[in-house]
Amino acid sequence: MESEKKLSNKIDGSELQPGDHIYSWRKLKTYAHHGIFVGEDKVIHFTSSKADSGYSSTATVSKNVSKKKPCTKCGYDGKAGVIETCLDCFLKGGELYRYGYNISRRRLMFTRFGTCTSVSCGPVEDTLRRAYDYLKNGYITDYSFLEKNCEDFAVNCKTGLTVPTGADTNTLSGQPCFLRLMEKPYLLAAYPIVRIHEDSKLRKICPKH
Ligand SMILES: [Zn+2]
């Protein structure tokens, strides 16, 4: 199993394959930004008007938006929504990681939220088709860190899964789960169980089609 090979998801740029779900940590690993590598140094990703600022306070963000100088490589100027940029603009100086799919439950227990899932992904062509479709037509919903964020976007491109309206959890992604856990530190003792539980909930509410 390809996904079982490595315990760390960290990869070198030369290992990248079109259709890979990649991520990069921001702000001392408090959250990660996710996207789909589409080949030729390009990444399609979903950002907020807060420039993939994640779960930060709003005080520091809005002023940075449209003031960004366009990237000399890809022309990215800080615009929000589904965007295609060069890998450097995606990484912002951070390291490159590949999200794991089809991870065994035994291994999942010891992984961090927002780095892998037991759900399997579909063929590369489907991932790329979805990513380009969202780039052209926009994502199914507006950006929201706690509801529909960059990780949801990438998981959706890889799997086709979407969370039905009114589901008891409103995100596919692990980062909000991690934050909820941080609010209840007593749950940390049961971390492996919580991790599996959240992941299986994802599969339950989002049956593959
Ligand atoms: Zn760029």
Side-chain angles (χ1 to χ4, degrees):
M1 298 286 271
E2 200 221 283
S3 55
E4 297 284 320
K5 262 193 253 165
K6 289 183 230 162
L7 267 175
S8 164
N9 294 340
K10 194 170 158 198
I11 57 165
D12 187 76
S14 61
E15 296 174 60
L16 274 177
Q17 297 288 332
D20 277 351
H21 172 172
I22 55 175
Y23 62 95
S24 181
W25 293 102
R26 303 275 199 263
K27 293 189 181 167
L28 303 172
K29 287 202 166 189
T30 49
Y31 72 97
H33 187 51
H34 296 246
I36 300 292
F37 179 71
V38 293
E40 295 179 357
D41 195 44
K42 289 280 164 50
V43 184
I44 294 181
H45 45 128
F46 187 37
T47 75
S48 69
S49 55
K50 296 166 187 168
D52 68 72
S53 55
Y55 194 65
S56 61
S57 77
T58 49
T60 52
V61 286
S62 38
K63 38 177 146 149
N64 301 329
V65 187
S66 59
K67 279 191 187 160
K68 182 178 168 20
K69 254 173 124 183
C71 168
T72 49
K73 248 160 88 180
C74 69
Y76 177 57
D77 59 0
K79 134 175 130 68
V82 179
I83 53 171
E84 185 179 47
T85 70
C86 67
L87 187 59
D88 286 347
C89 280
F90 173 82
L91 292 174
K92 284 190 170 172
E95 291 177 314
L96 176 63
Y97 292 79
R98 181 160 47 207
Y99 200 90
Y101 285 86
N102 203 22
I103 302 297
S104 70
R105 290 176 66 139
R106 206 170 64 174
R107 186 178 149 192
L108 192 72
M109 287 195 278
F110 304 103
T111 60
R112 189 171 167 169
F113 278 114
T115 59
C116 57
T117 175
S118 63
V119 173
S120 11
C121 56
V124 170
E125 313 84 74
D126 287 353
T127 300
L128 296 176
R129 177 180 49 75
R130 288 187 197 103
Y132 279 112
D133 185 51
Y134 293 140
L135 180 66
K136 194 172 154 208
N137 302 311
Y139 192 42
I140 43 181
T141 178
D142 290 337
Y143 186 97
S144 153
F145 179 69
L146 289 175
E147 294 183 5
K148 293 287 180 289
N149 60 28
C150 53
E151 188 185 343
D152 288 281
F153 170 81
V155 170
N156 178 283
C157 289
K158 287 292 279 187
T159 64
L161 297 174
T162 48
V163 181
T165 314
D168 68 339
T169 177
N170 48 19
T171 178
L172 293 173
S173 68
Q175 294 185 59
C177 296
F178 177 71
L179 285 166
R180 283 201 294 272
L181 189 65
M182 290 296 99
E183 286 164 9
K184 297 175 189 163
Y186 58 88
L187 280 177
L188 274 177
Y191 181 84
I193 295 162
V194 175
R195 179 75 171 101
I196 296 263
H197 175 72
E198 291 291 339
D199 195 72
S200 59
K201 199 159 75 177
L202 185 156
R203 282 184 300 170
K204 206 166 105 196
I205 62 160
C206 313
K208 273 189 84 67
H209 57 261

